[in-house]
Amino acid sequence: MADAASARAMTREERKVVFASSLGTVFEWYDFYLYGALAAIIARQFFSPLDAGSAFIFALLAFAAGFIVRPFGALLFGWLGDIIGRKYTFLVTMLIMGLSTFIVGILPTYDSIGVAAPVILIGLRLLQGLAMGGEYTGAAIYVAEHAPHGRRGAYTAWIQTTATLGLLMSLLVILGTRTLVGEGAFAQWGWRIPFLVSIVLLGVSVWIRLSLDESPAFRRMKAQGRTSVAPVSESFGRWANLRVALLALVGLTAGQAVVWYTGQFYALFFLTQQLQVDATTAQLMVAAALVIGMPFFIVFGALSDRWGRKPIIMLGCVLAAATYFPAFKALAWAANPALVDAQARSSVVVVADPQGCSFQFNPTGASRFTTPCDMAKRILASYSVSYQTDPTGQPGQAVVRIGATDIPVPPAQGLAPDEARRAAASFRQAVDRALALHGYPTQADPERIHAPLVVAILSYLMVLVAMVYGPLAAMLVEMFPTRIRYTSMSLPYHLGNGWFGGLLPPMSFAIAAQTGDIYSGLWYPVVIAGLTALCGTLLLRETRNVDIHASDRPHGPHRSGR
């Protein structure tokens, strides 16, 4: 029966289900990722009182806020999805997402309404995160429960393309708007247009989703009176089900999340922030890699129906952990060779007492990094300069050594405010002159960017994303029974992607700022992907031949497909 199902073509009704579910989810991901694609501008508009480096990290933390609440949205909308059905639940999530995105487009900036601006912005990000906590899972389950046995990997792979398509759409709309209004106008007010466009996409999405029927698996279970009356407690209050959810988190979604966000978001931020590539150029190269990489979601999803979900996902995590450092170093050489040459030729050292050096991760914005060591690190990070730390400095003092040039950092105490500002400005100018003298570029030279090689490296990162993400929805659906599937699947997926994935950009940049090595932030995804590969290989079993309609018992690591 499975072979016959695998051989036949997709029916018209199945095509409608896949198309409508995928298109609506693309629009939701577009809304969610607009903020990430515009993080640098958001930092200037809503966190302007902070210095540039802190403002960017704080903007990334506001971006991460939407990810942090996704597990709570997963519980809320997972409960609704298992109680009232899949269709109406992701209609609600769509309305919340679309309206929140539109409001960002009309939200006054910090200069207009002060601290209320970032507070409201973070509130809107929280609403978006809650909505995304229910949207993706509902769409993936809806398609999987319509798919024939033996084709779930191929069918749900279309849903897996939607996050990347949403990111691609956001980049294309941003690039189009930049071109239309000009860079200066875009930075001032044009950035709002992509957010405002979302109201049109919301109308189209709601119209499409209203034309769909409820999932046949849920309809059948409801008709038989076997729906769960307490899906949250049944999912996580019973060890048999909780164990499967925990294994799904540590053995699947945590590693998948860091690979996804490294390959798509961190790569973009690394190009623009660390390698100083012009934002438009970086977005064009990332967009090209997204186009090249997207078909691989379908390829790996379909292959998982033949080879199994587990080996493809685990291989993707292993390759990511093993190759991220060489891949990003090659990316630096291809995108900004002058920076790589300068770092090899003239090293930068911060000579300071370690007691005066703080870990520059400031999620609340309350910390003030004012010691000489902190000032030196902050300014070097703003220039995207890798540096080493020499712990032999005198207490309360710091020196920046660029090649053979020593630049004392002005003292943190004992100066009047005006004197302190002048001293800091003089120090920055001295650092700027020394870096220029030793060949450090202020931005990547467009003439020296090896664009085909950059796109090839970004495409390789996209293939890794497709390996871990393409088969994922099918495997998660197969691990949980229909009566609690929405709730049980939502939480490990959104814990992995919301917390492990969403915190990747700010954590990685904070690690890089602390260590002085622009590549050290990669340890975050490398370690998590490696641990997921280890746990998944040892603890998970294959699920591709599980019949998701066969019983009301959870399928997963304790039950092997044949």
Side-chain angles (χ1 to χ4, degrees), residues 277-320:
V277 176
D278 171 71
T280 300
T281 303
Q283 289 170 356
L284 282 170
M285 292 188 294
V286 170
L290 294 178
V291 171
I292 293 169
M294 272 191 296
F296 287 94
F297 289 94
I298 309 301
V299 170
F300 289 119
L303 286 176
S304 76
D305 288 327
R306 299 176 57 188
W307 299 348
R309 329 292 190 205
K310 175 181 168 179
I312 295 174
I313 296 172
M314 295 303 110
L315 179 59
C317 286
V318 169
L319 288 174

Side-chain angles (χ1 to χ4, degrees), residues 281 334-338 443-452:
T281 303
N336 195 343
Q443 65 179 53
D445 182 357
E447 298 297 323
R448 297 191 64 188
I449 296 176
H450 197 307

